[in-house]
Amino acid sequence: LSRMTSETRIQAYENKHREGVLRVLGYLWGDDYQNNKAYFDWKYLQNPHATGWPGIVATAGGEVVGFRGYFPARVEVNGRHRAVVQPGDTCVHPRHRRTGLSVAMGRVATEMFAPNYDFFLNFSCTKASLPGYKRLGFHQLAPKYFVNRTGIPGMTRYVLASKGLLGDRPGMARSHNPEVVMITSQARPAAMIELVCRTAIPADKIVLARGHGFFSWRFRSPRHRYLFVYVASGQDMQAYVVLGLSSNGRRAYILDHAQVNRDSLRIAMESLISARQFDIISMLGYGIDADMGAVLQSTGFTAHSLVRIIEKRIHGELPVLVRPLKSASESDEFLLAGLDVRRAENWSLRPLISDAA
């Protein structure tokens, strides 16, 4: 599948494009070629949920001048797995920008991915890219905002660090009760999946499909840093919480969790807070289940904080987007197992599904 414009050819990524794509992505990712290559391979070529091509390339005169990557994932609804794909990294060579190339690549992707995926999701649109996604038929699923736990001292440290006036926090949080709670940078995929299998999956909700292969791959990212909080009773894991760390180590984002009951999750969160490792702890404010919602409320998290005010002023509150890959003429195009994917209450998603996590 390919398309021609007056100057460029748009087609599915092939292995022969790899070096050219890496050169173009250097404008987006920076000049560290080895790190870029490792990250590209992990994100687009090793993803266990990939079905077919990892993205779209644009070439001119035989040279790659644009790339639009796509990040696949699996969701589960009422015991059935469905495939979704997310627009990932998009970059166009400076000489070819402002020519509509990004949107043109997106249109080819819509045709190319339709046989293998049910929906597009987008967690990382920007003010600049949002109009293009709307032209491609994306709809708002939910506003993207965080519930946060911090205080004036933590917020002050975080702002100072963002301006280079305080250093990073490379240290590892430690539990005050290591016999029950372990806080570590090491993933334990087998134990985590065993716990997931012991917990009830919400009925009539679209949830992230989690499996051993997904976890084993997910936490090997060469660019992201993770922290894991495990609660155990003897040899049995009772809860886990996965956090992604900011580049300076001062903010943690809750990406995923599982628990046998609310008390075990509360122990995990209280242990994380008492370790005093982070200036801010955050979680996306939609798709939060009842147990996590109650624990967040009881441990001082709020959607109404100075953090949110500042971030809204700087970045705005951009939406999470969704778009079906079926024909626009189908009346049920927004239905997945009978659930309207445009309604946030039909989702119980974990931020771990996002390509940015």
Side-chain angles (χ1 to χ4, degrees), residues 276-290:
R276 298 181 180 276
Q277 173 71 27
F278 304 107
D279 297 329
I280 305 173
I281 305 175
S282 304
M283 186 171 185
L284 281 175
Y286 61 90
I288 298 174
D289 65 27

Side-chain angles (χ1 to χ4, degrees), residues 37-334:
K37 180 170 69 172
Y39 185 55
F40 178 84
D41 289 353
W42 169 83
K43 186 172 184 177
Y44 293 113
L45 304 184
Q46 298 166 9
N47 188 319
H49 291 155
T51 302
W53 307 276
I56 303 293
V57 297
T59 59
E63 297 292 323
V64 174
V65 297
F67 174 72
R68 191 165 186 141
Y70 288 85
F71 187 81
R74 295 251 171 202
V75 296
E76 183 176 352
V77 54
N78 295 333
R80 297 179 60 190
H81 285 206
R82 308 298 287 266
V84 298
V85 66
Q86 304 167 60
D89 302 286
T90 300
C91 191
V92 174
H93 191 282
R95 291 198 305 270
H96 293 264
R97 292 176 184 171
R98 302 185 183 279
T99 62
L101 198 53
S102 176
V103 172
M105 288 190 289
R107 295 193 188 282
V108 172
T110 300
E111 299 178 45
M112 187 180 76
F113 288 122
N116 298 324
Y117 297 96
D118 292 290
F119 286 90
F120 281 126
L121 286 175
N122 187 323
F123 291 84
S124 54
C125 74
T126 63
K127 288 181 180 179
S129 65
L130 182 58
Y133 284 118
K134 288 183 175 180
R135 288 197 296 272
L136 289 170
F138 281 76
H139 292 253
Q140 177 171 321
L141 170 60
K144 190 171 69 175
Y145 68 93
F146 293 98
V147 293
N148 302 288
R149 189 186 192 280
T150 188
I152 296 300
M155 187 65 199
T156 301
R157 289 192 298 268
Y158 185 75
V159 170
L160 290 174
S162 70
K163 297 180 178 296
L165 301 176
L166 282 181
D168 295 352
R169 277 192 165 179
M172 180 62 61
R174 292 288 182 263
S175 170
H176 292 184
N177 189 3
E179 292 79 16
V180 177
V181 180
M182 177 186 295
I183 302 178
T184 175
S185 61
Q186 299 300 311
R188 298 171 59 188
M192 294 166 71
I193 291 305
E194 192 274 334
L195 174 59
V196 168
C197 292
R198 288 160 51 203
T199 59
I201 297 175
D204 296 325
K205 293 283 187 182
I206 306 168
V207 302
L208 170 65
R210 295 169 288 182
H212 188 277
F214 171 70
F215 274 169
S216 296
W217 162 80
R218 193 65 176 87
F219 302 121
R220 293 201 306 266
S221 168
R223 190 161 289 186
H224 301 125
R225 297 167 58 200
Y226 301 103
L227 191 70
F228 303 86
V229 184
Y230 303 120
V231 177
S233 175
Q235 297 299 312
D236 294 329
M237 187 180 290
Q238 301 291 297
Y240 74 74
V241 177
V242 180
L243 302 110
L245 307 187
S246 64
S247 58
N248 63 10
R250 289 186 168 273
R251 187 172 183 178
Y253 299 86
I254 300 169
L255 303 178
D256 187 34
H257 63 90
Q259 64 281 340
V260 295
N261 54 50
R262 188 173 296 178
D263 284 343
S264 59
L265 181 60
R266 177 183 51 78
I267 291 170
M269 291 298 297
E270 288 179 348
S271 298
L272 174 68
I273 291 166
S274 66
R276 298 181 180 276
Q277 173 71 27
F278 304 107
D279 297 329
I280 305 173
I281 305 175
S282 304
M283 186 171 185
L284 281 175
Y286 61 90
I288 298 174
D289 65 27
D291 282 348
M292 180 57 88
V295 170
L296 293 178
Q297 185 175 19
S298 68
T299 52
F301 283 76
T302 178
H304 308 287
S305 67
L306 183 59
V307 180
R308 185 176 180 184
I309 293 171
I310 293 174
E311 291 183 333
K312 186 174 182 178
R313 181 168 297 178
I314 295 174
H315 307 294
E317 286 188 348
L318 295 164
V320 180
L321 302 171
V322 63
R323 184 202 188 281
L325 276 161
K326 299 176 184 177
S327 169
S329 63
E330 296 183 29
S331 60
D332 64 345
E333 62 174 338
F334 285 100

